[in-house]
Amino acid sequence: MILVIGGGVAGLAAAWRCAQAGAAVTVLEADRVGGAASRVAAGYIEPGVPETRMGEDAQALIDDEWTSARQWPAFVEELVAETGLDVDFRTDGQLRIAYAEDVPAARADHDRRVAAGWQAEWLDAAGVRALEPALSPEIEGGCFLPRICWVDGRLLCAALAEALRRRGAILREGARARGLIVEGGACRGAVLEDGEALRADRVILAGGWARGALQALPQEVPAAAPVRGVILALGMAPEAPLIRRIVRTPAGPLVPRSDGRLLVGVTRSPGDTRGFADAGAVAALLENGFRALPGARALPFLEAAWGIRPYLETDAPFAQASAEAAGLIYSLGYGADGYLRAPLWSRRAADLALGRNAPSA
């Protein structure tokens, strides 16, 4: 049996790949499946550029992100075929807008992306509003990235959960792991907060930022670096949305959903683990959204949601087999890129759990 600790997008996707291979799978989720950081993500699939990925392996990480991004259409097609559930996967691209004070930096960002091989088109003010007419006349330019796509994370997690159930996997919600069972240098399962012991042949650790509290966690795992984020949802008319593409403002994204929701995000507060959407964050997000999209002032306010993204202090994902506890596989530290990395990294975690020699590319 393969035990997966963590019911967010990383854990669910890895569990699905294991179940597809015929393995018996149990997923432990402390709250609700897909109900933590995965629930409040904008869900856009955007690989990094060298300035956003640091260290010796930065280019290798970016190459992996592009590989994962290219796998998204097939990943969605496979999941929808298996469940019949829509996940609102959209391929309309992203428009990165610039006000007067932002034009030099935006042009430089455009040039870096072109130099890195991106498809990117610089637009003047008229070109920006030709693409998205409802945007503010303050906007003086923008960079259109046609290859950026996005997904509704809530729908995706629900579809992954359904796919797992159809394959006989067990999803246990409200089941918080207290610690790992490590015997003779091998991980043999986990113990729940109520003392119940669950034995397993392999354990995939895909928990969120608080997974560092697990007892018997090997010391090789980098410390967590929680980053709290607040994101808002406004209501547009689905048949006449204000925008049809992701609009990336200098202060955050505006993301349309096909059901009419407009996501306005997202704050970034390192080390902040408060369990609510604070008024200051809501006000800042609304101000940013209204500046870019004045018509948003007339929209109904639907939701202010918060989540804590699971970064690591190394600021890089930790997806590998444990060197200290045989049978333990890590799939951690995806931060704001859990959806971007889901197709590729889920297969890698599953390959390791299934004992396959070479992780899938």
Side-chain angles (χ1 to χ4, degrees), residues 7-358:
V9 63
L12 292 172
W16 179 44
R17 293 308 190 192
C18 290
Q20 284 182 316
V25 177
T26 294
V27 177
L28 300 180
E29 168 52 42
D31 189 6
R32 292 174 295 133
V33 165
S38 294
R39 181 176 179 272
V40 298
Y44 53 89
I45 315 303
E46 181 179 352
V49 291
E51 287 73 15
T52 63
R53 302 289 184 261
M54 307 302 290
E56 295 180 3
D57 298 326
Q59 189 57 53
L61 180 57
I62 291 171
D63 291 343
D64 275 355
E65 289 176 346
W66 274 111
T67 297
S68 196
R70 287 190 290 268
Q71 291 177 0
W72 256 98
F75 181 81
V76 168
E77 183 179 1
E78 185 180 1
L79 182 59
V80 172
E82 191 162 316
T83 64
L85 298 177
D86 178 45
V87 299
D88 194 18
F89 179 63
R90 296 181 55 172
T91 58
D92 302 285
Q94 180 190 97
L95 177 60
R96 300 174 73 89
I97 62 170
Y99 304 109
E101 65 271 24
D102 308 306
V103 168
R107 287 300 300 259
D109 179 75
H110 163 269
D111 294 346
R112 281 193 296 270
R113 291 174 189 272
V114 171
W118 285 59
Q119 289 180 252
E121 179 185 3
W122 180 260
L123 303 172
D124 61 13
V128 165
R129 275 177 288 283
L131 209 58
E132 293 291 356
L135 289 175
S136 167
E138 268 194 85
I139 297 165
E140 295 202 359
C143 174
F144 180 52
L145 304 173
R147 295 180 63 185
I148 302 302
C149 52
W150 69 101
V151 68
D152 186 327
R154 298 180 184 186
L155 295 180
L156 183 83
C157 287
L160 286 168
E162 176 62 18
L164 282 163
R165 294 186 182 100
R166 291 188 181 201
R167 290 186 175 273
I170 298 171
L171 277 67
R172 295 188 56 174
E173 297 183 313
R176 185 182 298 276
R178 184 177 69 197
L180 301 176
I181 299 172
V182 179
E183 299 171 342
C187 186
R188 300 302 185 192
V191 178
L192 303 187
E193 281 193 331
D194 63 4
E196 179 185 0
L198 293 176
R199 311 288 297 192
D201 301 299
R202 299 283 191 278
V203 175
I204 298 176
L205 180 55
W209 71 276
R211 53 99 192 110
L214 284 173
Q215 298 173 8
L217 183 69
Q219 295 184 355
E220 65 194 345
V221 182
V227 178
R228 178 175 169 274
V230 175
I231 192 168
L232 312 180
L234 309 180
M236 303 184 293
E239 67 280 6
L242 294 180
I243 57 173
R244 298 181 181 277
R245 298 161 183 83
I246 296 175
V247 173
R248 185 66 181 265
T249 80
L254 307 177
V255 182
R257 298 284 194 227
S258 296
D259 63 5
R261 282 178 297 143
L262 174 65
L263 303 189
V264 182
V266 59
T267 62
R268 179 184 170 93
S269 302
D272 185 350
T273 59
R274 292 177 295 168
F276 56 86
D278 59 286
V282 172
L285 290 171
L286 288 175
E287 180 180 2
N288 175 54
F290 295 160
R291 184 184 183 191
L293 195 62
R297 291 180 179 275
L299 299 178
F301 186 95
L302 302 180
E303 181 183 34
W306 64 275
I308 302 176
R309 290 171 168 172
Y311 287 85
L312 300 176
E313 287 188 348
T314 57
D315 199 29
F318 194 67
Q320 61 192 58
S322 171
E324 297 182 24
L328 177 61
I329 295 93
Y330 303 115
S331 187
L332 301 169
Y334 299 122
D337 296 314
Y339 287 97
L340 163 64
R341 293 167 175 161
L344 179 61
W345 273 262
S346 64
R347 281 198 179 276
R348 288 180 172 174
D351 284 346
L352 291 168
L354 294 166
R356 295 170 176 164
N357 292 329

